[in-house]
Amino acid sequence: MQLDVSRLVRRVLAAALLALAAEPAGAQVLEVRPVTPAAVGPTLRELRAQQEEFESFRRQRLPHWGGSMSPDRCDETIGRFCYWYEEGDPDPPPEPRAIRDARERLIARLDSAGSAHPHDRWISGQRVRYLVEAERNDDAVAAARECAALDSWCHALQGFAYHAAGRYAEADGAYESALALMSPRERCEWRDLKLLIDEVLMRRYRDMTCEARLAFEERIWWLSRPRMTAPGNDARTEYYSRVMMVRFLEDAPSTYRLDFGPDERELLLRYGWPTAWTRAGGTSSLSAGFSLVGHEPRPAYPFIPPASVLDNPATSDSAIWRSKGVGRVLARYAPAYARRLLPLEHQAGLFRRGDSALVVAAWSVAADTALAAAAAVPGELTAALALTKGAPSDTAIARAASIGTHGTLMAAAPWGSMLLSLEIAAPSRRTLARARYGVRGSDVPGSRVQMSDMLLYEPYEGLPRTLEDVLPHVRSSERVTEGSSVGLYWETYNTNPTGEAIDVSITVVAEDRGGGWLTRALRSLRGVRAQQPITMGMQDVSARVPYAPRSVVVDLATLRPGRYRIEVEQDAGGGNVVRAQRSITVVERR
């Protein structure tokens, strides 16, 4: 501990030491203790009063919000609060200048007190809280670094500030340091996820000891990351930052003008804290004469995956990760880098290499003006592909060295079902285009011959003989222009090493028209033999390699705009029949 000792006290100490040196042995000397000078600036009691004045000032000057306050809108009623989520609601109006100025005056007082008393938890916490609220994130990081409390508080405070600044790897490290300094009981309370998980997970979770929960929680947080390919786990640091905000508000006045209770705590931990406030007309139990509305950032996405995804990530589909989610959404998160989370136009395929899987993914962001503009600026856009079975140790990530509006990525992982996350990000534009869903090996039980996924490629002179040959030509979309042709590439595994004939049938099925399967196939693709789909026989010439590449170009010139399914069936005889399919959308030529 460092003490600021005044000049007068230092002189007294020096005189006492000289007197001590001059005294004979056995003499008694008056002990002189340094005295901490009186605090400069407001006392803690005065700071608390000034904070109360600011919150009261804010409540009385909040702008009016024009949205509906009907009780029917409540997705949930949590204690004293009505919560709803609707992306179509009008944005809250800008915060009045008078409130911003009042906050800055409070921050200035907290800054002065924080510099004088860096060991005080309340001052340091409220100082960082209001700096983040004012979107002065770099100043919040600097203030958190000035914290000098001796326990876990300062590390946690730095984690909060780093998270607000978008420095998620540093936030992760700071929170880990804080947790390491906590008592086992406090650490268990910090990590508790009971408010965020579904009933299936809850039944397992509450029966575990705190130590046993650690691996369970790690898997949850790994699969919860909006960007699996970014450094740091911002899903976890978001939750820990919510825990910190609970700590701030437990010992401070709430904007709601209510005592901070279990209901507000639950709202905060599940959905985050409001970043904007408004007043709505009418009366309520919240305040006399008007209601207070807290606005969390939007869009906010489902925070924690359900038990089915946690148990088997390959069961996931894109609907689970949308803002509406599937079923009741227990918790939401609005990452600052993804104020726009877009579906990614892409195509992906799974191929086998012994005990490993190769996943090829081709993508395009040319249709989005913001991402297309970002692609023109070096370093503005990033592309990465992650494959995971649910833990960091089994995750493979491939990144693009250079990036334009479209590209192709390939990653290798142990063979088996897994979660794919293809992510094209422009953080400075707060935009993320993402495809996230489960991919599975297409092994057919009982068949010796097996088959890969099928890739669509742009026809070129010649036919691809290997996966590497087709990569530069893979289509980044499953949309096909009317009147064109499309190349199909797939691989066949476990063929007879001496060579064998395999019958290959290719059909195109209209998904949006009536009629039977064969009727639709014949109507969809002309130029076929009467009463049967396209059929061709070929001799396997890949006797000395573990897989046989196949490719063909199909003329789709006669297809009308609509949704179709291309099906490839291979029959090696003896019950060795395997199939692959891919949907396409034929669009009008412009």
Side-chain angles (χ1 to χ4, degrees):
M1 178 180 290
Q2 296 179 351
L3 296 176
D4 182 12
V5 183
S6 68
R7 182 179 300 176
L8 175 61
V9 172
R10 288 198 295 270
R11 288 179 179 176
V12 172
L13 281 173
L17 291 172
L18 288 174
L20 177 61
E23 285 290 335
Q28 294 182 354
V29 180
L30 177 65
E31 182 180 7
V32 179
R33 297 180 181 272
V35 178
T36 302
V40 177
T43 65
L44 184 58
R45 180 179 297 177
E46 291 170 337
L47 281 171
R48 286 179 177 272
Q50 290 164 359
Q51 183 188 45
E52 181 64 67
E53 290 175 5
F54 166 70
E55 293 295 349
S56 177
F57 181 88
R58 172 173 21 202
R59 280 191 293 269
Q60 297 302 319
R61 287 162 178 78
L62 288 175
H64 178 75
W65 182 66
S68 169
M69 286 291 295
S70 168
D72 295 337
R73 298 202 60 187
C74 298
D75 294 334
E76 289 192 68
T77 300
I78 302 175
R80 301 163 291 178
F81 295 89
C82 165
Y83 171 81
W84 74 89
Y85 178 83
E86 181 55 63
E87 288 183 22
D89 274 348
D91 291 333
E95 185 178 59
R97 177 64 179 270
I99 295 178
R100 297 200 303 271
D101 290 345
R103 183 191 297 108
E104 289 299 324
R105 290 192 293 271
L106 176 61
I107 289 173
R109 293 166 184 141
L110 290 167
D111 280 342
S112 177
S115 297
H117 303 290
H119 57 280
D120 189 280
R121 291 167 55 119
W122 186 88
I123 294 173
S124 61
Q126 301 305 320
R127 180 188 184 193
V128 171
R129 168 198 168 188
Y130 283 111
L131 283 168
V132 167
E133 187 177 282
E135 298 183 346
R136 293 171 54 184
N137 294 326
D138 290 341
D139 292 334
V141 169
R145 286 174 172 169
E146 290 182 12
C147 176
L150 297 180
D151 56 9
S152 62
W153 178 257
C154 292
H155 291 290
L157 194 62
Q158 289 170 22
F160 181 88
Y162 282 134
H163 177 81
R167 297 162 62 172
Y168 303 119
E170 291 166 282
D172 234 353
Y175 279 125
E176 285 299 319
S177 297
L179 288 166
L181 291 172
M182 294 177 188
S183 68
R185 180 175 179 178
E186 184 182 10
R187 185 161 51 246
C188 192
E189 290 174 352
W190 260 77
R191 289 173 15 210
D192 191 285
L193 300 181
K194 292 189 188 74
L195 289 174
L196 277 62
I197 56 180
D198 63 28
E199 292 181 6
V200 176
L201 294 177
M202 176 70 81
R203 286 195 291 270
R204 306 178 209 169
Y205 189 72
R206 67 180 164 219
D207 292 336
M208 297 179 185
T209 65
C210 195
E211 291 73 19
R213 289 177 180 175
L214 183 58
F216 188 77
E217 292 164 352
E218 287 292 326
R219 186 174 178 86
I220 286 176
W221 288 128
W222 184 251
L223 292 171
S224 296
R225 303 170 69 188
R227 282 186 67 193
M228 301 195 76
T229 60
N233 190 326
D234 62 293
R236 179 169 52 199
T237 59
E238 165 69 16
Y239 181 67
Y240 289 159
S241 295
R242 294 179 184 184
V243 174
M244 277 298 285
M245 183 60 78
V246 167
R247 300 292 189 269
F248 298 153
L249 293 176
E250 283 175 334
D251 196 19
S254 169
T255 303
Y256 282 121
R257 201 167 70 178
L258 297 167
D259 292 335
F260 188 81
D263 48 3
E264 191 172 354
R265 176 182 180 275
E266 180 178 342
L267 274 173
L268 199 159
L269 292 177
R270 290 174 58 187
Y271 304 114
W273 61 89
T275 55
W277 300 87
T278 57
R279 295 169 57 169
T283 60
S284 75
S285 60
L286 299 180
S287 57
F290 59 88
S291 298
L292 295 178
V293 183
H295 301 266
E296 297 94 11
R298 291 176 302 168
Y301 311 104
F303 197 13
I304 304 294
S308 59
V309 174
L310 199 70
D311 293 339
N312 184 3
T315 64
S316 172
D317 63 54
S318 58
I320 291 174
W321 310 98
R322 293 174 186 151
S323 58
K324 292 292 186 183
V326 177
R328 180 188 178 211
V329 179
L330 284 170
R332 293 186 179 278
Y333 170 36
Y337 54 79
R339 290 293 182 258
R340 298 175 67 229
L341 181 58
L342 309 175
L344 179 61
E345 188 171 29
H346 76 291
Q347 182 194 184
L350 180 67
F351 301 85
R352 188 160 194 161
R353 295 294 182 271
D355 293 334
S356 297
L358 289 181
V359 175
V360 174
W363 51 269
S364 174
V365 294
D368 185 78
T369 55
L371 290 175
V377 181
E380 189 82 1
L381 201 63
T382 63
L385 170 65
L387 306 173
T388 185
K389 291 181 171 64
S393 59
D394 61 35
T395 298
I397 297 177
R399 304 180 191 276
S402 60
I403 185 170
T405 57
H406 61 278
T408 304
L409 283 164
M410 182 166 62
W415 178 257
S417 300
M418 66 193 83
L419 181 70
L420 172 152
S421 189
L422 180 59
E423 301 164 3
I424 316 300
S428 65
R429 299 170 189 262
R430 298 191 171 191
T431 300
L432 173 65
R434 188 184 71 180
R436 180 173 293 185
Y437 51 85
V439 293
R440 310 183 191 187
S442 55
D443 290 356
V444 177
S447 176
R448 166 180 54 84
V449 175
Q450 301 296 335
M451 186 176 179
S452 72
D453 287 341
M454 177 171 51
L455 281 180
L456 307 179
Y457 70 90
E458 201 66 48
Y460 64 99
E461 186 176 351
L463 293 174
R465 296 180 178 273
T466 66
L467 183 60
E468 288 70 23
D469 287 345
V470 81
L471 287 182
H473 308 283
V474 176
R475 297 179 61 93
S476 58
S477 171
E478 294 178 341
R479 292 182 300 112
V480 180
T481 304
E482 184 180 15
S484 62
S485 298
V486 66
L488 310 179
Y489 175 90
W490 70 92
E491 295 175 352
T492 310
Y493 309 113
N494 301 327
T495 55
N496 191 323
T498 63
E500 62 183 322
I502 299 178
D503 291 331
V504 178
S505 299
I506 302 173
T507 61
V508 178
V509 181
E511 294 185 344
D512 55 350
R513 300 177 189 174
W517 181 87
L518 183 58
T519 301
R520 295 196 306 270
L522 293 172
R523 184 169 56 208
S524 300
L525 188 62
R526 297 178 185 172
V528 303
R529 299 174 190 166
Q531 303 302 317
Q532 62 182 11
I534 292 179
T535 302
M536 66 184 76
M538 61 179 68
Q539 186 73 29
D540 185 3
V541 294
S542 306
R544 296 188 179 182
V545 296
Y547 63 95
R550 305 286 194 187
S551 58
V552 67
V553 174
V554 178
D555 185 359
L556 306 178
T558 59
L559 294 186
R560 291 180 292 178
R563 184 78 172 168
Y564 299 88
R565 185 172 68 254
I566 299 178
E567 297 178 341
V568 174
E569 179 182 282
Q570 296 188 110
D571 186 351
N576 294 297
V577 179
V578 288
R579 300 177 182 86
Q581 64 181 34
R582 184 169 295 276
S583 294
I584 62 170
T585 300
V586 177
V587 297
E588 292 182 0
R589 183 181 296 276
R590 295 181 178 178

